[in-house]
Amino acid sequence: MAASALPQDISDAELVGLARTAMKRAHCPYSKFPVGAALLTESGDIILGCNVENASYGGTICAERSAVVSAVSQGHTKFRAISVVTELSEPASPCGLCRQFLVEFGDFKVIIGTAFNSKTLITSTRELLPFAFTPESLDTFEQEKSSAMAEISATTKEHDVAEVSS
């Protein structure tokens, strides 16, 4: 999906503004790098997320995943767009883990902005993570596995018949 216009109910700039609001709630005592996200669900709800750090660094959650986890816990699994904002002067892309996490829920618009100016980068989840491993990858695997098992079974039966005949 190419990045497309948001529904008339919210503009890119408004979604970036909401991500800025979320960024102010970030708990980042270690990195001092606040990140905010505003996730627009298919139904038009907006779910905010911010990074929440932990002294055990592996327990940290990024803003993007925070928003998605909150949305899923509220019953949302289809999304139209997400805006992600940092305090850098140039838009900063989501980390690799967040890219993988986002694309799990499909191809939707990604608006990357900054806290201090109007610079934005507009892309999509698929563009952020080309050649992504997705639920479709698992479906393809299951189909290929079933076909391979059927082929092995047929070959084994042919071999067994040939041994009995000889």
Side-chain angles (χ1 to χ4, degrees):
M1 168 190 128
S4 61
L6 289 175
Q8 291 180 347
D9 53 338
I10 186 164
S11 69
D12 289 0
E14 289 171 316
L15 204 60
V16 167
L18 291 168
R20 287 179 180 142
T21 297
M23 185 187 71
K24 294 174 186 171
R25 300 176 185 158
H27 175 75
C28 51
Y30 308 106
S31 72
K32 311 283 192 267
F33 190 77
V35 182
L39 181 63
L40 177 64
T41 69
E42 188 174 79
S43 63
D45 292 329
I46 297 170
I47 312 295
L48 302 183
C50 61
N51 55 321
V52 179
E53 295 180 350
N54 190 284
S56 172
Y57 293 152
T60 294
I61 186 166
C62 300
E64 301 90 316
R65 289 184 289 134
S66 173
V68 171
V69 167
S70 183
V72 170
S73 72
Q74 295 176 45
H76 302 283
T77 57
K78 296 190 183 304
F79 308 113
R80 294 181 186 175
I82 189 169
S83 177
V84 181
V85 171
T86 71
E87 288 185 337
L88 294 174
S89 60
E90 295 293 323
S93 180
C95 72
L97 180 57
C98 286
R99 292 176 189 206
Q100 178 66 47
F101 205 84
L102 292 171
V103 81
E104 172 79 11
F105 294 92
D107 190 22
F108 53 92
K109 186 174 188 176
V110 178
I111 308 155
I112 306 167
T114 70
F116 303 120
N117 61 50
S118 61
K119 293 180 184 178
T120 58
L121 171 67
I122 298 175
T123 186
S124 73
T125 55
R126 295 266 186 204
E127 290 170 350
L128 279 175
L129 191 62
F131 311 108
F133 185 81
T134 65
E136 291 84 17
S137 303
L138 293 173
D139 292 342
T140 300
F141 169 72
E142 284 300 320
Q143 291 169 358
E144 290 175 359
K145 184 175 145 186
S146 294
S147 294
M149 294 304 288
E151 191 174 308
I152 289 169
S153 178
T155 303
T156 303
K157 285 179 185 175
E158 288 172 12
H159 181 268
D160 291 346
V161 168
E163 279 189 359
V164 170
S165 299
S166 23

